[in-house]
Amino acid sequence: MTVEEQAPQAELDAGTDAVATPAPEEPVLVDVHTLPGGAHAAVEAVLMVADAPIGADRIAAALNLTQDETDDILHELADEYAGHLGSRPRGFELRRTVDGWRIYSSTAHADPVGRFVLDGQSAKLSQAALETLAVIAYRQPVSRGQMSAVRGVSVDGVVRTLLTRGLIAEIGQDPSSGAVLFGTTGYFLERMDFSSLDELPPLAPHLPDLDTIDGLDGLDS
């Protein structure tokens, strides 16, 4: 076969391959309104598998709902679980946090739930950890050196504990000293049942002004 004869054959083969390979099909979106329980049940199903607070926009996108409809459903579910719509209060509640919506065990049942979860084991933070967490919460962003200056002792151990518990995180570096700066996390707000740091009790005036200890970041080294 000559070169001239091969070219049309190659084009024919290429065309055959193009026809033989179908384009991937778009996934079929199920109308959640047609499922048992409708859109409300679909939102509940998503909330039940979420291992962290999830924004209403993500729920809306996953279920092909509008933002307004999703917001209305979330508020209706929260009221229903709380017993505000005539039904009995549930043992769980739907809360809106700074990071989104999530189902939690009811605050009213914290004592029996706590006994079940802890099963006799203490999960409380030490006094040193609580004091350090308070310094971080009120004075963030703050370095280890500044925490140590406020408390008068090394904080390396308790900072590791707070990092492990997910209550604080590294949020940057001091531009002048290069020291790592720490702040509280969304999980801290969840555990405190706050929606923002503005809900912290007004205790900041009782803590030393960190402007007076800026030169102590060398303790981080």
Side-chain angles (χ1 to χ4, degrees):
M1 182 180 295
T2 66
V3 174
E4 289 76 6
E5 293 173 329
Q6 290 176 354
Q9 183 63 40
E11 293 175 359
L12 178 60
D13 292 342
T16 302
D17 291 341
V19 172
T21 305
E25 295 182 1
E26 292 292 330
V28 178
L29 296 178
V30 176
D31 183 357
V32 296
H33 298 90
T34 65
L35 298 175
H40 286 67
V43 171
E44 286 178 316
V46 170
L47 290 168
M48 289 301 295
V49 299
D51 57 3
I54 180 172
D57 56 337
R58 285 188 59 198
I59 298 175
L63 302 180
N64 198 29
L65 299 172
T66 66
Q67 181 75 36
D68 288 343
E69 183 179 9
T70 304
D71 286 335
D72 289 343
I73 290 174
L74 288 166
H75 284 95
E76 287 174 16
L77 291 175
D79 287 342
E80 179 184 345
Y81 299 158
H84 297 159
L85 301 181
S87 60
R88 67 170 178 81
R90 310 295 176 82
F92 53 89
E93 56 193 24
L94 179 57
R95 297 184 209 160
R96 184 178 186 179
T97 70
V98 66
D99 294 321
W101 294 81
R102 189 179 182 186
I103 291 177
Y104 299 84
S105 60
S106 172
T107 304
H109 300 91
D111 182 61
V113 170
R115 289 198 303 271
F116 171 76
V117 172
L118 298 180
D119 194 19
Q121 299 179 5
S122 175
K124 293 181 180 179
L125 292 172
S126 67
Q127 185 66 29
L130 288 172
E131 292 174 1
T132 303
L133 183 58
V135 173
I136 297 170
Y138 283 103
R139 296 297 191 181
Q140 58 187 304
V142 60
S143 69
R144 281 191 180 91
Q146 293 169 329
M147 295 179 224
S148 296
V150 172
R151 295 200 55 241
V153 295
S154 172
V155 298
D156 287 349
V158 292
V159 166
R160 283 194 295 271
T161 296
L162 295 173
L163 285 169
T164 300
R165 297 283 186 93
L167 296 168
I168 65 171
E170 297 180 4
I171 59 175
Q173 284 187 316
D174 186 285
S176 58
S177 67
V180 175
L181 299 176
F182 297 88
T184 53
T185 63
Y187 180 63
F188 165 79
L189 293 176
E190 289 179 48
R191 299 299 298 172
M192 296 296 293
D193 200 18
F194 293 157
S195 59
S196 74
L197 291 172
D198 294 336
E199 297 179 32
L200 283 168
L203 298 178
H206 300 287
L207 294 173
D209 187 348
L210 291 181
D211 290 340
T212 64
I213 54 174
D214 281 341
L216 297 178
D217 287 321
L219 293 174
D220 290 339
S221 58

